[in-house]
Amino acid sequence: MSAVSSAPPRVSVMIPVYNEEESLVTLHRELDAALASVAGGAEIVFVDDGSKDRSLAVLREIAEKDPRVRVVVLDGNHGQTAAFAAGFDAVRGEITVTLDADLQNDPADIPRLIAKLDAEGADVVNGVRQKRRDSWVRLVSSRIANNARNWVTNESVTDVGCSLRAMRTEYVKRVRLFRNMHRFLPTLLRMEGATKVIEMPVAHRERRYGVSKYGIGNRLWVGIVDLFGVRWMQARHFRVRVKD
């Protein structure tokens, strides 16, 4: 991990990375432009999830030139939820923003998410992708999965598959993540005390490089099991506060 400055920033941007070498320089350049207007300072935490290409080398080159960048390196490919968990452990800001590394999320939306979080006094602002640039198969499967999650967990999240969101870090630090649980992050944040979860339209861009890491084949049956696992957790979850 790169060296850490003493003063924590207000905003931490956390990005899981797996085989994204072609997009990282452009992503960093866009993040740099987006974060210029963020008050209170920002850090960028990349989590390399065992990439097999040059992603880690590129990230280290970026970190050498930009002191705001830290690189967390996992000891193998453990999946996106594990990368989220490691990133959440590492972030230091009051607000944590997440997005994907493939450039389909637009970093220019980050200041808007933060402004919405502050203006509304919200705990979480979920992005809702507009004019999605995905295949019809992916769009249909995503719609079905999203509706099923909402029905079983009694949620009303329009686009839980959107990784672009801003969250109060105090809730992020409380969340216990198990394999594949990043898909239920808004629900898990509610369970840990995030009472005001709102939404905001965000951009969605064409994929420029690489291929999607997820499809119907590796999401359907696992997703069904995970869905009822989260419902079980909701039914048995409790939070207590010890009185003085």
Side-chain angles (χ1 to χ4, degrees):
M1 186 185 296
S2 306
V4 180
S5 61
S6 57
R10 181 163 191 253
V11 176
S12 298
V13 179
M14 193 280 289
I15 308 160
V17 175
Y18 179 63
N19 293 346
E20 302 286 359
E21 63 174 325
E22 295 174 304
S23 67
L24 295 174
V25 171
T26 300
L27 175 59
H28 176 253
R29 183 171 64 247
E30 292 185 355
L31 286 168
D32 183 52
L35 296 176
S37 63
V38 173
E43 66 176 357
I44 304 169
V45 179
F46 289 103
V47 182
D48 183 72
D49 183 27
S51 293
K52 296 177 175 60
D53 62 0
R54 292 193 67 257
S55 290
L56 180 55
V58 174
L59 290 174
R60 284 175 168 159
E61 290 170 4
I62 292 170
E64 286 181 2
K65 299 174 183 176
D66 186 345
R68 298 169 302 174
V69 174
R70 292 191 289 139
V71 182
V72 176
V73 184
L74 304 190
D75 63 355
N77 178 223
H78 296 281
Q80 193 168 10
T81 302
F84 267 61
F88 289 163
D89 283 344
V91 295
R92 300 179 299 135
E94 172 191 337
I95 296 169
T96 296
V97 177
T98 58
L99 72 159
D100 289 332
D102 59 12
L103 298 177
Q104 287 197 275
N105 296 142
D106 188 348
D109 282 320
I110 292 175
R112 295 175 54 241
L113 284 167
I114 296 169
K116 181 82 167 175
L117 190 82
D118 288 337
E120 299 286 340
D123 300 315
V124 180
V125 181
N126 286 304
V128 180
R129 292 168 287 184
Q130 305 297 294
K131 298 180 181 179
R132 287 185 58 181
R133 309 296 183 178
D134 289 321
S135 69
W136 70 269
V137 173
R138 190 171 175 84
L139 289 171
V140 170
S141 62
S142 178
R143 176 75 60 85
I144 293 171
N146 203 81
N147 289 340
R149 289 189 192 106
N150 282 337
W151 178 62
V152 173
T153 61
N154 195 31
E155 277 284 6
S156 57
V157 180
T158 304
D159 187 8
V160 76
C162 181
S163 293
L164 184 55
R165 55 173 61 94
M167 303 158 283
R168 302 285 177 188
T169 303
E170 62 180 294
Y171 302 111
V172 164
K173 294 289 190 181
R174 296 177 191 169
V175 168
R176 291 286 305 277
L177 287 175
F178 300 91
R179 191 176 300 276
N180 301 318
M181 290 293 104
H182 68 278
R183 298 172 186 147
F184 301 91
L185 192 52
T187 299
L188 299 177
L189 289 165
R190 284 191 202 272
M191 289 167 60
E192 298 303 335
T195 56
K196 190 167 185 179
V197 179
I198 63 176
E199 299 182 320
M200 189 189 83
V202 296
H204 193 242
R205 306 186 293 192
E206 295 279 358
R207 177 180 289 277
R208 299 189 209 177
Y209 309 109
V211 296
S212 173
K213 312 300 189 297
Y214 301 101
I216 295 176
N218 65 357
R219 291 175 69 175
L220 178 59
W221 300 113
V222 171
I224 291 173
V225 173
D226 292 338
L227 178 56
F228 287 98
V230 170
R231 185 68 191 94
W232 180 90
M233 291 168 63
Q234 283 181 301
R236 288 157 178 79
H237 183 77
F238 64 87
R239 297 183 64 239
V240 297
R241 294 182 178 178
V242 178
K243 296 173 66 175
D244 293 336

